[in-house]
């Protein structure tokens, strides 16, 4: 009752995690302020012991906090639904039941005694700067919230509407948390690393979270400070440092661009948050960290953000700039002796250990040298960034080591993606790491030297460091490292610290030892921290470093036994080496022309291609998350053209069209995306296609980039064989071929759409019935007649028109009450045609009709066909086809393949994997039982393509088709099928069917809000929405006027939903069955939608329709 009372304001709710002194709002705004800022919050829960209860907290617009505690038995359910916590709707939550409340919350094991700081929600705005609410809103609140946003934008004070208790507090809430484009990544969600190799394709959403999104958030609006962590640029230093610049590239990550100025921000944020989540770091405790400098500054900044006091311990070797930066965040800095033994009590690490051990519960020790979260932070963030920024082309990773975290964690991720990537340690002379790794000197026998480079090298072996992922090492020195710092400052305008100089010098050495490769390193901090040292001539002279640097050509790389470098001494992959062809000594007159496009222009265009590809990946990532963006923005043809013109990218071509700039191309892509429907949204339920399988999309891009026509083997060798393999697999599934049994004889093609599949089936049937038509054509006296159900796809009619059969010779057979073809009606129709002197030659059936999802009773239908064929001694064949474009995928499911019983008796079969499996449009398969039938019916034997005396002429597919050009559509299906396997596809099919049944049950139990048209037979559900004025609606007693009124509702309701950017659901009548307009909800791609999403959508439909 308290929960229901707290949500009765009908306000928008956010899902948050409670942690000591820190409140996280997933995909929202993360704030950490004094707990008094929640003075108006009301906590409605008793204390619960940590680890035994799960707290679920709902934050509503009136700033009431409600904590619902459940026993640990419910923890798994809370964990499950935490994945849904990012999906925010301003739905009518006042009617939320206990069972459904699970979907709105995210779980966090926490001590209820801890103070909760603050959490505020924000409105979003479009990229154009105009105020915009969340994509999907409660219709009853849109005007109210939009008024607040508009008033704030105009600098006015927004008044709360009558009955609202928000007032000035809500205005402050909006002011403080206003964000752009719906993406304020105030808290960077760091990827979850794995204990073993990371399977990138099967990784969880956390493992594959886009670091680009962080950068995008920074460039589109205000963010919180720790949103700046990670996503650092990768700069090209090849021209200055590579000894082999044409073949060996050197790239460096600008880690000094993290908020506290170093790479250590990554581990500071990760370690502290992990400690908070685990309950090891509680409110009121002080964080203690031993550091050579950068970690201290990063910990100080991370503590400032989270509201913790801190003590950092460094040594006198640390620069004054770094010591001052550690103090700047308001904590305590202890400067210990430098040069003491690792086991000396006054060693800065031992001071941290002693303080924490002697003050349990008061101090939390970061223990960065032995804390495994150190390496995990880099595995989760830096590794994925490097792979993404180098497009996976990295061959070597070079890094110095102090704690071992950067080298271990990053190398672990890189090798999980590509085991051939080699990791190289850069170690200063004097550090014990070199002798331990290279000379295998036991730890207790290591002798520590002296070096001046800060932040790298070590006097002992840290527990985080793992030599298992290190392949080689380069031993540097102070003078060469500092000289390199000055060199890149002078030649590149980049000011970096000494550890970056060490790394860069090692990269330069490595570049001279390999024939080709892509070397990546890190620039851990900025040279600003070393102005009193590295960039001070007096200090350099005093230390004796000036003029003592070593040339990279004189350096050496040590490779661990068995870890020989993969790029060393490799032969060039060029088939024709530059300037070594037969024309080199050509005595004929020199040609003066050059390439049409200069190389610079080509490179610019390729960069635009890369940029656009990255944008589309991010676009898809946004699209699959409910509530991130509207499914559709309502427009007219005129308004769309106006938007293009306003963006400076007019849609109409000029008489003399001028060339566009690269920026105009970007603006054009942006405008296209803004004015398009997000068909990958889980709430795009309008068509039989939706969403896109990312791996299949990669296959689409591969085939598009290859730009090969699959008509001859010689221009598309692998693509041709991939298509044949897919056709064989589909034929085996359709014909129910058992394991170990040879694939039956078959023929087939990938065709541009299911409609073309039906056309192909009629062409083959016509050729069997009367092959003379190929030459003589169809005449008006032709007696051929075909049959399909009255609910069959309209492409049957179109194919009858195209083939010359004519609409009059395509008989629409009556259907059973469920929408499937009636075998008895077919028998009567065939008999009637024969009596009229016509020749039946074709029967088209359907597996999953477009509207009702009905499966024709194949066995009974084919029994009818056999009756007539047997009656005339089979002298007149009747070709049978199954249009399985929508429901044919049931053949892959053990649970639903009974729907395809008898399908193996048909002559041909078509299936659209772009329906229900998320293959990119188009992906359509046509197969038949009779090998060679396609070439016989369609072949033209074009002499310039299908020469019988060329190599592999028998492998060509092109003469089977009615086309010339044909895309390699099989590649996307082949890649996705190989990744997911039969079981993965079956799970997708089963989930679609399951969700349809769920919607059916929701409709049936909606207390009269919805009325079911037919029980779900496939993964589509038909229903009417009944507005309150027509309730209760009784189908058996409703008058003709009642039905007419109900028929007006669906168009109005869809219009309201489209205006709100909400779900898209199609509607239509079925006149032959007496059905007025009803909604046809389809579930063609169930990967990102849940039962709770569908239930919430039905609730919103009811809200929209209250006044209809």
């Amino acid at each position: 009752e308290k929960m229901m009372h707290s949500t009765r304001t009908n306000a928008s709710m956010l899902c948050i995690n409670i942690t000591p002194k820190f409140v996280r709002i997933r995909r929202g705004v993360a704030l950490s302020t004094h707990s008094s800022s929640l003075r108006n919050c009301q906590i409605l829960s008793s204390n619960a012991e940590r680890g035994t209860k799960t707290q679920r907290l709902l934050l509503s617009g009136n700033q009431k906090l409600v904590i619902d505690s459940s026993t640990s038995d419910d923890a798994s359910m809370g964990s499950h639904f935490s994945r849904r916590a990012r999906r925010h709707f301003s739905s009518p939550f006042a009617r939320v039941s206990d069972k459904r409340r699970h979907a709105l919350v995210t779980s966090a094991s926490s001590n209820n005694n801890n103070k909760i700081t603050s959490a505020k929600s924000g409105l979003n705005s479009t990229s154009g700067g105009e105020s915009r609410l969340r994509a999907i809103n409660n219709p009853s609140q849109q005007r109210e919230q939009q008024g607040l946003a508009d008033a704030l934008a105009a600098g006015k004070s927004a008044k709360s509407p009558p009955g609202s208790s928000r007032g000035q507090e809500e205005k402050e809430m909006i002011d403080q948390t206003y964000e752009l484009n719906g993406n304020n990544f105030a808290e960077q969600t760091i990827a979850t690393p794995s204990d073993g190799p990371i399977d990138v394709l099967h990784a969880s959403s956390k493992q594959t979270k886009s670091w680009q999104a962080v950068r995008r958030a920074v460039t589109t609006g205000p963010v919180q400070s720790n949103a700046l962590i990670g996503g650092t640029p990768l700069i090209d230093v090849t021209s200055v440092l590579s000894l082999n610049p044409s073949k060996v590239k050197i790239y460096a990550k600008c880690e000094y661009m993290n908020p506290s100025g170093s790479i250590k921000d990554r581990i500071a944020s990760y370690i502290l948050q992990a400690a908070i989540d685990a309950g090891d770091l509680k409110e009121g405790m002080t964080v203690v960290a031993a550091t050579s400098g950068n970690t201290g500054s990063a910990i100080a900044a991370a503590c400032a953000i989270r509201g913790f006091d801190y003590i950092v311990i460094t040594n006198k070797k640390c620069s004054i700039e770094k010591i001052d930066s550690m103090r700047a965040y308001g904590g305590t800095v202890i400067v210990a002796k430098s040069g003491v033994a690792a086991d000396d009590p006054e060693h800065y690490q031992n001071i941290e250990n002693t303080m924490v051990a002697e003050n349990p519960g008061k101090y939390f020790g970061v223990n960065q040298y032995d804390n495994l979260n150190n390496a995990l932070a880099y595995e989760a963030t830096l590794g994925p960034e490097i792979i993404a920024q180098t497009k996976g082309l990295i061959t070597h990773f070079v890094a110095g080591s102090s704690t071992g975290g950067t080298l271990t964690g990053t190398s672990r991720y890189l090798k999980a993606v590509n085991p051939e990537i080699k990791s190289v340690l850069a170690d200063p002379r004097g550090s014990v790491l070199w002798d331990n790794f290279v000379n295998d000197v036991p730890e207790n026998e290591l002798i520590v030297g002296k070096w001046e480079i800060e932040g790298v090298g070590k006097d002992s072996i840290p527990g985080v460091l793992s030599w298992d992922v290190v392949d080689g090492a380069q031993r540097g020195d102070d003078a060469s490292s500092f000289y390199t710092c000055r060199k890149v400052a002078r030649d590149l305008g980049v000011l970096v610290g000494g550890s970056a100089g060490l790394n860069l010098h090692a990269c330069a050495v490595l570049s001279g030892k390999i024939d080709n490769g892509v070397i990546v390193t890190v620039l851990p901090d900025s040279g600003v921290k070393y102005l009193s040292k590295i960039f001070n001539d007096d200090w350099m002279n005093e230390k004796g470093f000036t003029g003592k640097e070593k040339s990279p050509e004189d350096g050496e790389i040590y490779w661990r036994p068995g870890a020989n470098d993969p790029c060393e001494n490799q032969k060039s992959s060029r088939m024709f080496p530059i300037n070594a062809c037969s024309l080199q000594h050509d005595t004929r007159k020199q040609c003066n022309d050059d390439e049409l496009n200069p190389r610079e222009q080509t490179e610019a265009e390729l960069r635009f291609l890369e940029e656009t590809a990255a944008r589309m990946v991010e676009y898809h990532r946004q699209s699959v998350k409910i509530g991130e963006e509207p499914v559709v923005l309502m427009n007219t043809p005129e308004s769309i053209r106006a938007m293009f013109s306003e963006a400076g990218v007019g849609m109409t071509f000029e008489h003399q069209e001028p060339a566009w700039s690269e920026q105009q191309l970007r603006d054009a892509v942006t405008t296209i995306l803004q004015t398009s429907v997000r068909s990958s949204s889980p709430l795009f339920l309008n068509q039989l296609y939706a969403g896109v399988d990312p791996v299949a999309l990669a296959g689409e891009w591969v085939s598009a980039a290859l730009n090969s026509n699959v008509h001859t083997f010689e221009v598309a060798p692998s693509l041709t064989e991939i298509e044949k393999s897919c056709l064989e697999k589909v034929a085996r599934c359709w014909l129910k071929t058992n394991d170990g049994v040879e694939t039956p004889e078959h023929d087939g093609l990938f065709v541009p759409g299911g409609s073309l599949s039906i056309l192909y089936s009629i062409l083959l049937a016509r050729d069997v019935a009367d092959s003379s038509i190929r030459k003589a054509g169809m005449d008006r006296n032709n007696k051929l007649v075909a049959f399909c159900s009255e609910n069959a796809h309209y492409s049957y009619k179109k194919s009858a028109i195209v083939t010359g059969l004519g609409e009059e010779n395509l008989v629409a057979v009556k259907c059973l009450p469920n929408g499937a073809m009636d075998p008895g009606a077919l028998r009567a129709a065939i008999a009637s045609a024969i009596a009229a002197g016509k020749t039946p030659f074709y029967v088209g059936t359907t597996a999953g009709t477009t509207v009702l999802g009905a499966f024709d009773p194949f066995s009974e239908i084919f029994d009818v066909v056999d009756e007539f064929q047997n009656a005339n001694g089979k002298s007149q064949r009747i070709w049978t086809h199954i249009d399985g474009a929508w429901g044919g995928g049931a053949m892959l499911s053990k649970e639903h393949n009974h729907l395809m019983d008898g399908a193996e008796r048909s002559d041909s079969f078509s299936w659209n994997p772009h329906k229900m499996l998320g293959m990119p449009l188009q992906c359509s398969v046509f197969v038949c039982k009779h090998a060679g039938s396609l070439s016989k019916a369609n072949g033209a034997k074009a002499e310039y393509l299908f020469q019988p005396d060329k190599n592999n002429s028998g492998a060509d597919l092109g003469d089977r088709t009615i086309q010339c050009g044909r895309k390699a559509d099989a590649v996307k299906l082949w890649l996705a099928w190989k990744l997911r396997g039969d079981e993965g596809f079956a799970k997708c099919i089963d989930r679609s069917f399951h969700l349809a049944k769920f919607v059916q049950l929701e409709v049936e139990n909606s207390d009269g809000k919805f009325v079911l048209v037919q029980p779900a037979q496939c993964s589509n559900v038909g229903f009417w929405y009944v507005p309150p004025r027509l309730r209760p609606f009784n189908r058996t007693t409703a008058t003709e006027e009642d039905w007419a009124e109900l028929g007006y509702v669906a168009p109005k309701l869809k219009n309201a939903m489209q205006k709100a950017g909400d779900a898209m659901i199609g509607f239509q009548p079925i006149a032959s069955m007496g059905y007025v307009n009803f909604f046809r909800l389809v579930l063609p791609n169930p990967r990102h939608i849940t039962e709770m999403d569908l239930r919430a959508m039905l609730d919103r439909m009811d809200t929209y329709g209250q006044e209809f």
Side-chain angles (χ1 to χ4, degrees):
E1 291 175 352
K2 290 178 179 179
M3 177 71 74
M4 299 302 290
H5 174 74
S6 68
T7 60
R8 201 159 287 148
T9 59
N10 226 23
S12 174
M13 292 187 178
L14 295 178
C15 310
I16 70 177
N17 287 344
I18 308 174
T19 57
K21 197 65 177 178
F22 189 64
V23 179
R24 291 194 295 178
I25 305 179
R26 291 290 183 188
R27 298 199 63 82
V29 182
L31 300 171
S32 180
T33 61
H34 196 271
S35 59
S36 63
S37 63
L38 283 185
R39 58 188 177 278
N40 295 320
C41 295
Q42 179 180 354
I43 299 181
L44 307 174
S45 174
S46 60
N47 293 340
E49 295 183 7
R50 185 174 67 87
T52 62
K53 289 201 174 184
T54 298
Q55 296 179 347
R56 292 192 297 278
L57 181 142
L58 300 180
L59 174 62
S60 63
N62 66 354
Q63 294 291 294
K64 274 188 180 177
L65 289 180
V66 185
I67 301 177
D68 176 28
S69 296
S70 61
T71 63
S72 57
D73 293 338
D74 193 43
S76 62
M77 180 173 288
S79 175
H80 169 75
F81 282 112
S82 68
R83 297 196 301 270
R84 318 305 305 170
R86 297 185 227 172
R87 302 184 174 186
H88 310 322
F89 297 106
S90 300
S91 304
F93 285 125
R95 297 184 297 277
V96 175
S97 67
D98 288 339
K99 183 176 181 181
R100 294 169 63 183
R101 192 174 302 123
H102 288 296
L104 310 176
V105 296
T106 172
S107 301
S109 295
S110 175
N111 193 327
N112 206 8
N113 292 318
N114 294 324
K115 293 181 181 179
I116 302 171
T117 56
S118 75
K120 297 181 175 69
S121 62
L123 299 177
N124 302 315
S125 73
T126 63
S127 58
E130 296 178 356
S131 179
R132 178 172 64 78
L133 297 175
R134 260 307 162 197
I136 300 173
N137 282 299
N138 178 6
S140 66
Q141 293 179 350
Q142 285 185 337
R143 291 184 297 275
E144 167 192 329
Q145 295 182 341
Q146 186 64 53
L148 283 168
D150 291 342
L152 289 171
K156 302 174 184 177
S157 62
K159 296 181 179 180
S160 298
S164 171
S165 62
R166 301 176 209 174
Q168 185 64 23
E169 293 178 7
E170 184 163 12
K171 177 181 182 300
E172 293 174 359
M173 174 185 73
I174 299 173
D175 277 337
Q176 294 176 14
T177 63
Y178 188 81
E179 59 179 280
L180 293 178
N181 211 26
N183 290 287
N184 189 333
F185 288 85
E187 178 207 359
Q188 181 184 358
T189 303
I190 302 176
T192 302
S194 64
D195 294 331
I198 295 176
D199 184 344
V200 176
L201 293 177
H202 293 91
S204 69
S205 59
K206 284 187 177 182
Q207 285 177 318
T208 57
K209 184 185 185 303
S210 170
W211 64 268
Q212 293 100 325
V214 180
R215 293 295 98 193
R216 183 169 56 81
V218 171
T219 59
T220 56
V223 296
Q224 298 296 317
S225 58
N226 62 335
L228 303 175
I229 299 174
T232 54
L234 187 72
I235 62 172
D236 188 345
V237 297
T238 304
S239 61
V240 173
L241 295 175
S242 179
L243 301 182
N244 188 5
S246 64
K247 296 181 179 180
V248 180
K249 304 298 180 184
I250 302 177
Y251 302 136
K253 286 278 283 175
C254 299
E255 291 299 298
Y256 55 82
M257 295 181 70
N258 284 301
S260 79
S262 84
I263 195 172
K264 297 297 186 177
D265 277 321
R266 296 180 184 269
I267 68 167
S269 178
Y270 195 97
I271 289 174
L272 291 193
Q273 196 56 51
I276 291 171
D277 292 342
D280 297 329
L281 176 55
K282 301 179 177 66
E283 183 180 5
M285 293 180 69
T286 297
V287 177
V288 180
T291 171
S292 59
N294 284 327
T295 302
S297 298
I299 288 291
C303 286
I305 291 172
R306 290 163 173 80
F308 291 100
D309 293 329
Y310 67 88
I311 300 171
V312 293
I313 307 121
T314 187
N315 59 33
K316 293 182 178 180
K317 181 179 175 180
C318 183
S319 71
I320 189 63
E321 292 91 344
K322 285 199 279 189
I323 293 174
D324 288 343
S325 73
M326 287 183 260
R327 288 197 178 102
Y329 296 95
T332 302
V333 179
I334 298 174
V335 182
K337 295 179 181 179
S338 61
V340 299
D343 57 356
D344 192 302
E346 295 191 38
H347 190 282
Y348 66 103
Q349 282 182 250
N350 295 329
I351 294 176
E352 175 194 334
N353 296 336
T354 300
M355 291 177 65
V356 173
E358 292 179 354
N359 297 275
K362 179 180 181 181
Y363 293 143
F364 167 76
V366 172
N367 189 23
Q368 63 167 323
Y369 297 92
D370 296 304
N371 192 327
L372 297 184
N373 282 317
N374 182 338
L376 293 177
Y378 294 111
E379 182 181 353
T381 64
L382 185 58
E385 290 177 27
I386 291 173
I387 289 294
Q389 288 173 303
T390 63
K391 308 297 187 294
L393 298 178
I394 176 177
T395 59
H396 299 78
F397 176 65
V398 175
S401 183
S402 175
T403 67
T406 306
L407 186 63
T408 299
T410 309
S411 300
R412 186 184 298 152
Y413 182 90
L414 297 177
K415 288 177 175 291
V417 175
N418 180 5
E420 294 302 315
I421 296 173
K422 300 302 178 183
S423 294
V424 177
L425 165 72
D427 200 43
R429 188 174 298 275
S431 166
V432 301
L433 301 182
W434 173 272
D435 277 340
N436 186 246
F437 176 66
V438 175
N439 299 320
D440 203 25
V441 177
E443 188 171 357
N444 60 354
E445 297 178 14
L446 292 170
I447 299 175
V448 184
K450 291 186 177 181
W451 67 97
E452 291 290 340
I453 306 172
E454 297 181 31
V456 286
K458 201 70 183 76
D459 54 8
S460 59
I461 307 301
V464 175
L465 181 61
S466 173
W467 291 131
D468 293 341
V469 292
V470 182
D471 302 287
Q474 200 282 319
R475 196 171 201 181
D477 60 87
D478 293 328
S480 301
S481 301
F482 297 154
Y483 171 81
T484 304
C485 292
R486 291 183 161 215
K487 178 178 175 64
V488 296
R490 181 181 65 248
D491 296 345
L492 290 175
V494 178
L495 202 65
V496 297
S499 57
L502 176 75
N503 291 344
L504 292 171
H505 178 77
C507 290
V509 173
L510 178 60
S511 70
K513 305 301 179 183
I514 60 177
D515 287 346
N516 56 75
V518 174
I519 305 171
V520 177
T521 191
V522 291
L523 309 178
D525 62 4
S526 170
V528 172
K529 297 184 177 184
Y530 308 94
L531 296 178
S532 62
K533 289 187 173 184
I534 299 172
F535 298 96
N536 184 297
D537 290 342
D538 293 338
W539 185 86
M540 289 286 287
N541 291 332
E542 178 186 333
K543 294 292 183 179
F545 295 143
T546 305
K548 296 296 179 65
E549 67 276 1
K550 296 178 182 178
S551 172
E553 287 90 342
D554 298 331
E556 294 293 336
I557 300 289
Y558 165 81
W559 293 109
R560 179 167 51 85
N564 293 330
D565 188 72
C567 297
E568 188 174 13
N569 300 322
Q570 285 190 352
K571 294 182 179 179
S572 172
S573 60
R574 290 183 61 89
M575 184 173 294
F576 302 109
I578 298 175
N579 297 326
C581 67
S582 59
L583 296 178
Q584 186 173 6
H585 305 292
D586 193 349
T587 59
R588 291 171 291 182
K589 182 179 178 180
Q590 183 176 355
C591 299
N592 295 319
D593 67 331
D594 203 348
E595 298 178 19
L596 177 62
N597 286 354
R599 293 297 174 89
E600 294 79 6
Q601 179 182 342
T602 299
E603 283 302 314
E605 292 170 359
L606 289 174
R607 285 195 299 271
F608 174 75
L609 177 63
E610 288 180 334
E611 173 189 319
T612 304
R615 285 185 68 181
M616 294 314 300
V617 170
E618 191 59 30
Y619 177 85
H620 177 72
R621 182 176 283 112
Q622 293 176 2
S623 296
V624 299
K625 297 173 182 175
I626 293 179
E628 284 291 303
E629 297 291 341
V631 181
V632 62
L633 295 176
M634 282 285 285
N635 277 299
T636 64
E638 294 76 19
S639 65
I640 288 177
R641 286 182 174 271
M643 291 176 68
F644 274 77
S645 297
E646 290 169 6
V649 289
M651 194 176 287
T652 305
F653 283 96
E654 302 292 339
H655 179 65
Q656 289 291 329
E657 183 68 26
W660 274 3
S661 67
E662 189 173 319
Q663 186 55 49
Q664 283 179 297
L665 291 178
R666 292 191 184 94
D667 293 341
V669 172
T670 298
T671 310
I672 291 170
L673 297 180
Q674 289 175 342
T675 55
S676 295
V677 175
R678 288 184 180 264
S679 64
S680 286
S681 168
L683 294 181
F684 180 75
L685 309 169
N686 203 72
Q687 312 296 147
L688 299 186
Y689 66 87
V692 63
D693 184 306
V695 175
L697 182 58
E700 175 84 346
W701 290 353
V702 167
S703 59
L706 289 174
N707 199 33
S708 292
N709 188 336
V710 196
H711 53 6
T712 63
F713 176 86
E714 65 181 357
V715 299
S718 60
L719 304 181
T720 298
E721 295 307 300
I722 284 174
E723 179 164 347
K724 292 177 183 177
S725 295
C726 289
L727 292 171
E728 180 182 8
K729 178 66 174 177
V730 173
R732 291 182 66 88
C733 294
W734 159 46
L735 298 174
K736 300 182 179 180
T737 308
N738 293 325
D739 186 23
V741 177
E742 187 176 348
T743 302
E745 179 183 290
H746 65 280
D747 203 353
L749 282 171
F750 275 70
V751 298
S755 296
L756 270 291
S757 294
I758 290 175
L759 176 62
Y760 273 103
S761 70
I762 293 180
L763 287 173
L764 295 190
R766 190 185 68 176
D767 190 63
V768 170
D770 186 354
S771 60
S772 67
I773 293 176
R774 272 177 52 92
K775 292 186 177 181
M778 296 276 285
D779 60 50
R780 295 182 64 86
N781 296 319
N782 195 289
K783 302 298 184 180
L784 295 180
V785 63
F787 305 85
C788 68
S789 86
E790 60 185 355
N791 285 339
H793 195 263
Y794 68 90
S795 56
Y796 277 108
K797 182 184 294 186
K798 284 182 172 284
S799 296
I801 296 170
V802 171
T803 58
L805 179 66
E807 292 183 64
E808 294 180 356
N809 292 315
L810 178 67
V811 178
V813 180
K814 293 293 183 180
C815 289
L816 298 166
N818 70 341
M821 183 190 287
D822 183 348
L826 175 63
R827 180 182 289 106
I830 294 177
S832 177
I834 293 174
K838 294 189 176 183
T839 305
F841 80 105
Y842 178 90
V843 173
T845 62
T846 306
T849 56
T850 304
V851 178
L852 296 178
F855 285 75
D856 289 342
F858 303 121
S859 292
E860 296 176 52
I861 289 172
F862 299 153
D863 285 345
V864 171
V865 171
D866 287 345
E867 288 177 20
F868 287 96
Q869 289 189 140
N870 294 333
N872 59 26
K874 296 189 177 181
S875 61
Q876 183 63 49
R877 279 281 312 281
I878 299 179
W879 185 282
T880 55
H881 175 71
I882 296 177
D883 172 19
W886 173 228
M891 65 183 177
L892 304 176
S893 164
K894 293 180 181 178
E895 183 179 350
H896 297 100
N897 61 9
H898 66 275
L899 296 169
M900 300 293 290
D901 285 349
E904 69 278 6
R905 294 171 58 184
S906 66
D907 290 286
S908 57
F909 170 74
S910 57
W911 174 46
N912 288 2
H914 65 244
K915 299 175 179 178
M916 218 179 295
L917 289 180
M919 299 300 107
L921 286 166
Q922 293 166 328
C923 188
S924 302
V925 187
F926 172 79
V927 285
C928 70
K929 288 180 177 178
H930 316 292
S933 57
L934 283 166
S935 295
K936 179 179 179 297
N938 304 318
K941 297 181 174 60
E943 293 180 348
Y944 76 99
L945 286 175
F946 309 118
Q947 307 92 340
D949 51 352
K950 70 175 181 180
N951 292 331
N952 303 303
S953 61
D956 295 344
L957 297 176
D959 218 24
R960 300 182 186 185
T961 77
I962 58 174
Q963 307 164 247
C964 178
R966 197 165 55 90
K967 287 182 62 179
D969 286 330
V971 176
K972 48 197 169 191
L973 178 63
W974 182 78
L975 274 181
W977 209 328
K978 287 292 187 179
L979 170 70
R980 309 198 185 283
D982 292 0
E983 183 178 353
F985 275 2
K987 286 180 178 178
C988 193
I989 300 292
D990 290 342
R991 182 162 176 79
S992 287
F993 276 79
H994 165 77
L995 291 175
K997 285 293 185 183
F998 172 80
V999 173
Q1000 175 186 324
L1001 291 174
E1002 291 291 297
V1003 167
E1004 291 174 334
N1005 296 289
S1006 64
D1007 296 328
K1009 298 173 186 175
F1010 301 93
V1011 174
L1012 190 68
V1013 176
Q1014 290 272 3
Q1017 302 174 72
C1018 191
S1019 56
N1020 37 345
V1021 189
F1023 58 85
W1024 289 281
Y1025 170 70
V1026 183
R1029 68 182 180 86
L1030 295 178
R1031 299 174 193 166
F1033 191 90
N1034 189 316
R1035 294 181 64 173
T1036 59
T1037 62
T1039 66
E1040 186 174 336
E1041 290 75 16
D1042 292 337
W1043 281 109
E1045 284 294 309
L1046 191 62
Y1048 296 140
V1049 173
K1052 291 181 180 180
L1053 183 50
K1054 179 168 183 175
N1055 179 62
M1057 295 173 72
Q1058 284 184 281
K1059 285 183 177 179
D1062 207 328
M1064 283 190 70
I1065 309 175
F1067 68 86
Q1068 67 288 302
I1070 301 181
S1072 63
M1073 302 183 74
Y1075 296 156
V1076 298
N1077 280 328
F1078 64 90
F1079 283 105
R1080 178 199 64 164
L1081 186 150
V1082 292
L1083 293 152
N1085 188 358
R1087 288 187 176 89
H1088 302 289
I1089 194 166
T1090 68
E1091 294 176 354
M1092 300 305 298
D1093 297 328
L1094 292 167
R1095 178 177 283 168
M1097 182 200 68
L1098 292 173
D1099 284 351
R1100 293 196 305 277
M1101 291 179 73
D1102 183 37
T1103 304
Y1104 291 121
Q1106 288 294 304
E1107 298 178 2
F1108 291 155

